[in-house]
Amino acid sequence: MKKQSNPSRLMGYAGGYRILTYLSWVLSVMSALLALVPFWYIWRIIHDILEVSPDFSRVGDVTRYGWSAVLFAVISIVVYIAALMCSHIAAFRVAANIRKELMRHIAALPIGVTEKYGSGKLRRTVNSSSTATETYLAHRLPDKAGAIATPIGLLFLLLAFDWRLGLLSLVPVVLGFLIMMKMTGKDMAQRMEQYQNALSDMSNEAVEYIRGVPVVKTFGQTIYSFKRFRGAIDNYEKWVIAYTKGLRLPMMFYTTAINGVFAFLIAGGIIFTRDGVTNELLLNLIFYIVITPVIGTTLTKIMFMSGDAMIVGDAVNRIDEVLNEKPLSESQVNNVPNDNGVTLEHVSYSYKVDNTDGGREGGLGRDGGNNALNDVSLRVRPGQVVALVGASGGGKTTLANIITRFFDPQKGRILIGNIDIRDIPKATLMNKVSFVFQNSRLIKASVLENVRMAKPDATREEIAHALQAAQCQDIIEKLPDGIDTVVGGEGVYLSGGEQQRIAIARAILKNAPILIIDEATAFADPDNEVRIQRALSSLSKGKTVIMIAHRLSSITDADCIYVLQDGEIVESGTHSGLIERKGIFARMWKNYSEAAEWKIGKNEKEAKA
Amino acid sequence: MIQTLQRRFALSRQGAVDLIKGCIACVLQDISFMLPVGLLYNFIIDTMKGGVNGSRIAFYAAGVSGCLCLIFIATWFQYNATYLATYVESGVRRISLAEQLRRIPLSFFGKKDLADLTNSIMGDCATLEQAFSHYVPALAGSLISTTLIAICLFAYDWRMALAAVWVLPIAFAITFFSSRIQGYFNRKSVAANVELEIGVQECIESIQDLKANNAEKSYLTGLDKKIDYVEKRNIITELGTALFVVSSTLILKFGIATVALVGSTLLARGEIDIPLFFLFLLAASRLYVPLEGALQNLAAVISTKTNINRMNEILDQPIQSGSSRVTNNGYDIVFDHVGFAYNTGETVLKDVSFTAKQVSE
């Protein structure tokens, strides 16, 4: 796959601002060259002084040259600042555009993909990776442009006046580089690799260690995980020191060479003046002595520049990784389902598609490539209430998710009102289906706004009514500003169960004809349990309901119960029908009834009582 | 002073001592770079008088080798005192952070995203590593060495010295003020960035609910506004700080130009002679080099304050106390008038007392 270079990738996001970026490079080059102009004036000054010596009253122009030197120094600074402003403005725009595009893309991705990354990693990509591009575009590139221009200008200056002295000035530089290259040969490359490996090991161990502390601490085992981490740190230290020591001697020679130009100039001066000193030679000698330190600074600047290319490359890769994820296809036709029945036809789904793991809690078919759903077919008629039961990891949640187009199945299809959900525009699909899952989120806005999300043009009364039906009166009463209180704001904390009820109010307001509920929400706490039960039954009236059931007693009246095991429907039927069959469900029912009698007591006898 | 350094830079005692050694080594190295000026000055005088021959050649040969050796040796010390010392200190820092993390109460980890925490700790260590091996000693060293050399120049001619040296205090002043100014502008940018991070995190976490209610478009519009605001604040910050940070580097470029200007003026008036003029030209050509290099990384040095504050936050956490030997008498759990409130002030437990008795055999 042909890869675009990083700068051109980033320019893709710049829009009209890319002109500013190019301008900043041009200005940076100009500034670098302008910074050399004062040296030319210095040459002229020295030249004139030597010419008129010792009668200095004749040296008229020299002051003018001095002022010109100052002037060009000023202009060079001003141009550089302009260059930086251009590059920064462009860089900030690029970063902003990248962030906007990433967020839009993330919003369009199937939710299964978003969960695979985890919100933290995605957030880091959106923020930090785009910041890395900022630094690259705003600083590195313009500085690079300048750093390339300066040596070229210098070269020109060096060779222009006296090429012999000029070449002599360059000899130590070349020497310095040769020494560096010779001494950082194969041995160093190996040490560099070891050092990089040790670094990434240490980073991985750091993650493991810190992630583990809360758990490990509870068992008093932190010293062991600490020992592992410490081992990685020590190893890193060992290699970074070995690497650094390896560079020491080359650095010493390089530094001496770069700063040793004076030696060559003195030697050259002695040799060339053997037959007598000319003014010209003296002038040039002085000039080269004055200008050669600039070589050293420029080279050192260039040497320290290479590190950042890697950081930007990494950032761009992360951004690409997210942008390359395929969003769910949007239907081209505007199909509207004609009724509210839900059908699954031979649906199979596996999380292990791109050799990635699911990443969520709950072992959903991620073990060794098993399908989370395996050839599942079922049919819910409009207005029916259907329950999904089974052991955890059996596929209930996956099934519920796939109906709401969390992700697309590998095989089979899902139909709502006899239309494949992939052929229904997403907005229409979302209007048809409500779901109440365990992790419904409230955003940092007022309760009113949170509920209104479901129906933007709802009136206050409608919202208040929905909140009441969701049994939220007690929550609203204790909030300082009632339904206008900002959730997640100062000192306002809602428990999980309370947040759940507000989410149910949202679903009530939405009033979608198909409802998917994960009943685990009812297990928040006893206080909320009854209220949530009531709210859910209020919500379910007259709708097509698919419920993931945990309390088997609540589904005795379901039109159909599906028992899921290892991603397959193993039994289905009415409650009484399944009990009669004396199969898996019957066993589950028996266990459930017994469990309902369990108590924690002092001993076995008491517990059984 | 060692302790101030320790605190300011989150260093161990050895680390602080090493930092001082590193600065001194940098000063010595900078001085070794300047020594050739003396040699060159003599050389120019000799050449003006007609050339170098005979025993003078030996003199220069010795002088050149001497200077080169000094540079070579000074670099050895500087390299050891900066790079090597830093990497050792970095290991110490990481280990003490790791030690601290396992001893502080779990509440510290509470609502933090652990991957974020890891990134910031490891990232901070790496940043500080680089700052202390490259930037800080070079900056301190160049400030000291440049001042020393500047003082020496005054011994020759105060006017020329002034012409060479006037840019230095200005560069220093700009340096110090820029940290204040940067702090001011940064606060607002940082706040805007934090808002954006929260917004992005919330969007990603709530995307399921947003999409379910077809509300994602309007939410994204709100997020766009936050992104735009961050962009705007970044530009303002840049405008505010660039003028300072960049100026301090480039103001040094004025130095040699003014030396030429003042020198030529004084020369024209017959107040100084050529050798002096050339001496100052030579000095000016080399005087600013160490400082120029160090100031380029000034922003990086200033921003280490953020990293250091983060580290100190962890290192300052009180570790959980207790004894390493279990001395309890049985396993009754007793709450004795327990009250607890979170840092946010939310009181959750008020004078709770109860006893959960151990089951007797």
Side-chain angles (χ1 to χ4, degrees):
Chain A
M1 184 175 76
K2 182 157 184 273
K3 245 184 157 191
Q4 264 184 313
S5 77
N6 286 333
S8 58
R9 280 280 283 118
L10 295 175
M11 283 301 104
Y13 291 105
Y17 278 59
R18 70 177 76 184
I19 296 180
L20 280 181
T21 308
Y22 300 143
L23 187 61
S24 79
W25 299 350
V26 168
L27 288 176
S28 176
V29 166
M30 269 176 62
S31 159
L33 294 176
L34 284 170
L36 294 175
V37 172
F39 286 106
W40 189 81
Y41 280 107
I42 289 174
W43 186 88
R44 291 235 48 128
I45 292 175
I46 304 175
H47 173 266
D48 284 3
I49 287 177
L50 288 178
E51 227 176 62
V52 305
S53 152
D55 181 13
F56 294 115
S57 57
R58 290 196 294 145
V59 68
D61 283 338
V62 163
T63 17
R64 190 167 60 87
Y65 292 146
W67 282 112
S68 303
V70 172
L71 181 67
F72 274 94
V74 173
I75 295 178
S76 150
I77 294 175
V78 169
V79 171
Y80 186 61
I81 292 180
L84 279 192
M85 280 318 295
C86 289
S87 68
H88 276 85
I89 291 177
F92 293 142
R93 176 50 58 102
V94 165
N97 285 344
I98 291 179
R99 285 177 185 145
K100 288 183 188 171
E101 172 148 345
L102 274 173
M103 286 315 294
R104 284 201 155 56
H105 192 83
I106 290 172
L109 289 176
I111 295 175
V113 173
T114 327
E115 292 210 345
K116 172 185 83 171
Y117 278 91
S119 62
K121 186 167 172 193
L122 281 175
R123 172 177 48 82
R124 272 188 285 283
T125 305
V126 172
N127 281 330
S128 322
S129 299
S130 48
T131 309
T133 67
E134 243 169 45
T135 317
Y136 181 70
L137 280 178
H139 287 283
R140 301 304 160 209
L141 284 186
D143 282 351
K144 227 178 184 173
I148 293 174
T150 309
I152 295 176
L154 261 185
L155 210 57
F156 178 73
L157 265 183
L158 285 174
L159 297 175
F161 296 109
D162 185 327
W163 63 270
R164 294 172 304 170
L165 287 177
L167 281 182
L168 269 182
S169 319
L170 290 173
V171 166
V173 171
V174 172
L175 212 60
F177 267 113
L178 282 178
I179 293 174
M180 274 295 251
M181 288 208 293
K182 188 143 186 278
M183 293 189 121
T184 59
K186 220 167 101 184
D187 208 28
M188 279 306 293
Q190 219 179 39
R191 278 191 236 200
M192 169 72 141
E193 201 186 316
Q194 294 281 30
Y195 155 57
Q196 302 277 37
N197 289 341
L199 177 61
S200 82
D201 266 344
M202 184 175 67
S203 306
N204 290 337
E205 286 296 334
V207 171
E208 279 306 305
Y209 176 71
I210 293 179
R211 251 217 305 237
V213 165
V215 172
V216 171
K217 200 169 155 73
T218 325
F219 292 98
Q221 297 290 298
T222 50
I223 190 70
Y224 299 103
S225 61
F226 173 69
K227 277 193 177 148
R228 253 187 84 140
F229 185 35
R230 192 194 168 127
I233 296 177
D234 287 340
N235 191 45
Y236 171 73
E237 200 180 310
K238 169 174 143 206
W239 285 111
V240 82
I241 288 181
Y243 177 69
T244 309
K245 279 197 176 151
L247 271 181
R248 182 171 48 192
L249 209 52
M251 259 316 257
M252 286 163 66
F253 278 110
Y254 172 78
T255 311
T256 311
I258 296 293
N259 286 288
V261 183
F262 72 94
F264 286 85
L265 286 177
I266 290 181
I270 293 178
I271 295 172
F272 297 143
T273 59
R274 239 183 334 204
D275 307 318
V277 182
T278 60
N279 253 8
E280 200 188 327
L281 191 59
L282 184 61
L283 159 66
N284 288 330
L285 208 54
I286 296 172
F287 177 68
Y288 280 92
I289 292 174
V290 165
I291 196 175
T292 42
V294 180
I295 303 177
T297 33
T298 317
L299 284 173
T300 320
K301 232 196 285 188
I302 297 181
M303 206 172 67
F304 280 121
M305 233 181 245
S306 50
D308 297 310
M310 258 182 10
I311 299 177
V312 137
D314 193 52
V316 170
N317 282 343
R318 275 181 220 272
I319 294 173
D320 279 344
E321 195 188 345
V322 174
L323 289 178
N324 284 337
E325 295 283 354
K326 282 201 174 49
L328 283 179
S329 59
E330 174 64 285
S331 156
Q332 299 303 323
V333 239
N334 201 351
N335 286 323
V336 180
N338 41 26
D339 67 44
N340 301 317
V342 178
T343 313
L344 269 75
E345 286 178 1
H346 300 287
V347 169
S348 290
Y349 181 73
S350 165
Y351 283 96
K352 277 200 175 261
V353 178
D354 320 292
N355 293 317
T356 53
D357 279 323
R360 274 186 303 159
E361 316 304 320
L364 294 153
R366 278 192 308 280
D367 40 345
N370 282 351
N371 283 344
L373 291 175
N374 213 352
D375 199 40
V376 168
S377 300
L378 58 84
R379 190 184 171 112
V380 184
R381 293 203 164 65
Q384 275 193 329
V385 173
V386 145
L388 306 174
V389 301
S392 91
K396 309 189 293 293
T397 313
T398 313
L399 185 54
N401 287 343
I402 214 165
I403 297 175
T404 57
R405 219 180 161 199
F406 232 53
F407 29 72
D408 284 334
Q410 275 90 44
K411 289 205 197 104
R413 52 186 199 149
I414 300 114
L415 305 134
I416 293 188
N418 297 316
I419 303 181
D420 191 324
I421 57 174
R422 283 171 289 200
D423 294 331
I424 305 175
K426 276 182 246 164
T428 316
L429 178 63
M430 288 305 151
N431 283 337
K432 281 281 177 186
V433 182
S434 261
F435 46 91
V436 180
F437 283 162
Q438 288 180 33
N439 51 0
S440 283
R441 292 294 190 127
L442 300 184
I443 61 174
K444 194 170 171 184
S446 68
V447 172
L448 181 75
E449 289 304 319
N450 265 294
V451 178
R452 185 180 279 173
M453 206 196 281
K455 194 173 169 210
D457 52 356
T459 63
R460 263 182 105 89
E461 287 73 38
E462 288 177 291
I463 294 175
H465 190 73
L467 281 164
Q468 203 179 34
Q471 310 287 313
C472 294
Q473 299 92 313
D474 60 312
I475 307 175
I476 309 295
E477 266 158 38
K478 79 166 190 188
L479 291 176
D481 295 318
I483 62 176
D484 294 308
T485 319
V486 172
V487 173
E490 291 303 307
V492 178
Y493 295 98
L494 298 182
S495 73
E498 289 169 343
Q499 287 189 31
Q500 207 53 52
R501 280 188 273 151
I502 301 203
I504 295 176
R506 210 193 257 161
I508 290 178
L509 183 66
K510 187 174 175 191
N511 206 20
I514 302 174
L515 184 61
I516 307 183
I517 308 177
D518 185 335
E519 202 208 1
T521 62
F523 289 104
D525 52 71
D527 209 24
N528 283 297
E529 192 179 313
V530 173
R531 292 209 172 88
I532 293 183
Q533 294 288 67
R534 280 203 210 123
L536 285 179
S537 60
S538 164
L539 177 57
S540 319
K541 286 203 184 66
K543 300 195 173 37
T544 310
V545 178
I546 300 172
M547 178 156 75
I548 300 177
H550 294 260
R551 295 175 3 131
L552 300 184
S553 52
S554 57
I555 54 165
T556 44
D557 292 331
D559 292 307
C560 190
I561 299 174
Y562 292 93
V563 181
L564 278 149
Q565 201 178 64
D566 296 327
E568 293 179 6
I569 297 182
V570 290
E571 282 180 12
S572 65
T574 60
H575 181 94
S576 42
L578 287 175
I579 300 283
E580 263 179 42
R581 214 182 299 182
K582 289 197 188 345
I584 299 174
F585 183 79
R587 221 180 3 229
M588 282 174 65
W589 180 252
K590 178 162 170 287
N591 287 336
Y592 175 73
S593 316
E594 282 181 7
E597 316 271 305
W598 286 348
K599 299 192 287 226
I600 291 180
K602 278 211 187 135
N603 49 42
E604 211 180 305
K605 213 165 84 172
E606 266 198 33
K608 278 257 168 82
Chain B
M1 149 113 140
I2 304 256
Q3 274 172 341
T4 330
L5 279 180
Q6 272 187 264
R7 182 70 199 163
R8 166 72 177 89
F9 292 114
L11 296 169
S12 69
R13 191 162 201 290
Q14 183 62 39
V17 169
D18 284 341
L19 185 62
I20 295 181
K21 282 195 201 160
C23 295
I24 295 178
C26 280
V27 172
L28 292 175
Q29 190 191 37
D30 290 341
I31 293 179
S32 77
F33 289 153
M34 273 304 266
L35 286 178
V37 170
L39 214 56
L40 287 166
Y41 174 58
N42 279 304
F43 180 64
I44 293 193
I45 307 247
D46 281 349
T47 312
M48 285 181 69
K49 289 201 205 134
V52 173
N53 38 34
S55 60
R56 287 303 273 172
I57 296 186
F59 166 70
Y60 284 111
V64 163
S65 353
C67 282
L68 286 176
C69 282
L70 279 174
I71 294 178
F72 196 69
I73 295 171
T75 307
W76 162 272
F77 283 116
Q78 182 261 356
Y79 196 82
N80 285 349
T82 52
Y83 294 97
L84 280 186
T86 293
Y87 289 128
V88 171
E89 172 69 10
S90 192
V92 168
R93 187 185 290 119
R94 285 193 176 100
I95 290 175
S96 50
L97 274 173
E99 264 289 317
Q100 180 76 352
L101 281 172
R102 77 179 181 95
R103 293 220 220 112
I104 54 183
L106 280 177
S107 55
F108 178 78
F109 296 89
K111 294 226 167 127
K112 285 193 168 60
D113 180 320
L114 292 180
D116 273 353
L117 185 61
T118 316
N119 275 349
S120 74
I121 290 179
M122 298 305 282
D124 286 347
C125 281
T127 307
L128 291 180
E129 206 171 77
Q130 196 179 36
F132 289 121
S133 65
H134 291 59
Y135 310 145
V136 175
L139 186 61
S142 63
L143 286 173
I144 295 171
S145 66
T146 312
T147 312
L148 288 176
I149 296 170
I151 293 175
C152 290
L153 286 179
F154 274 95
Y156 287 90
D157 181 292
W158 68 269
R159 290 159 303 180
M160 287 299 281
L162 208 55
V165 152
W166 72 274
V167 284
L168 292 175
I170 295 189
F172 293 177
I174 294 179
T175 305
F176 289 126
F177 278 125
S178 69
S179 64
R180 291 277 164 87
I181 307 270
Q182 254 195 331
Y184 169 74
F185 281 110
N186 269 348
R187 263 194 294 278
K188 290 212 172 164
S189 301
V190 164
N193 269 310
V194 167
E195 271 302 302
L196 179 60
E197 288 227 1
I198 293 176
V200 167
Q201 179 89 6
E202 186 181 76
C203 182
I204 297 174
E205 284 176 348
S206 319
I207 199 70
Q208 175 182 340
D209 292 81
L210 288 172
K211 283 167 82 154
N213 293 293
N214 284 324
E216 73 266 31
K217 281 206 179 61
S218 57
Y219 192 89
L220 283 174
T221 312
L223 207 53
D224 278 352
K225 288 211 188 82
K226 290 191 180 158
I227 294 176
D228 287 335
Y229 182 63
V230 164
E231 184 189 345
K232 185 178 110 173
R233 278 249 71 93
N234 278 342
I235 293 178
I236 295 177
T237 305
E238 206 48 48
L239 198 55
T241 59
L243 287 169
F244 289 88
V245 176
V246 167
S247 302
S248 72
T249 320
L250 295 181
I251 203 112
L252 295 174
K253 294 223 161 94
F254 271 107
I256 194 162
T258 48
V259 164
L261 178 64
V262 171
S264 45
T265 315
L266 292 178
L267 200 60
R269 290 200 240 150
E271 292 183 37
I272 61 170
D273 58 6
I274 292 191
L276 195 72
F277 180 49
F278 289 151
L279 173 69
F280 274 91
L281 266 186
L282 286 184
S285 70
R286 281 156 174 74
L287 181 65
Y288 314 111
V289 170
L291 200 55
E292 208 176 303
L295 284 178
Q296 273 173 5
N297 299 308
L298 179 67
V301 172
I302 294 177
S303 64
T304 56
K305 199 145 198 258
T306 326
N307 311 88
I308 289 167
N309 284 342
R310 262 203 294 265
M311 291 218 164
N312 279 334
E313 192 198 326
I314 297 177
L315 293 171
D316 285 345
Q317 290 281 330
I319 39 182
Q320 280 186 311
S321 55
S323 119
S324 55
R325 304 189 73 227
V326 175
T327 53
N328 62 306
N329 220 342
Y331 297 99
D332 288 356
I333 299 177
V334 177
F335 266 61
D336 186 22
H337 297 284
V338 168
F340 178 76
Y342 286 102
N343 285 343
T344 52
E346 190 196 1
T347 308
V348 232
L349 296 175
K350 264 193 216 139
D351 197 32
V352 175
S353 302
F354 68 87
T355 307
K357 285 199 147 137
Q358 177 188 9
V359 172
S360 50
E361 291 303 318

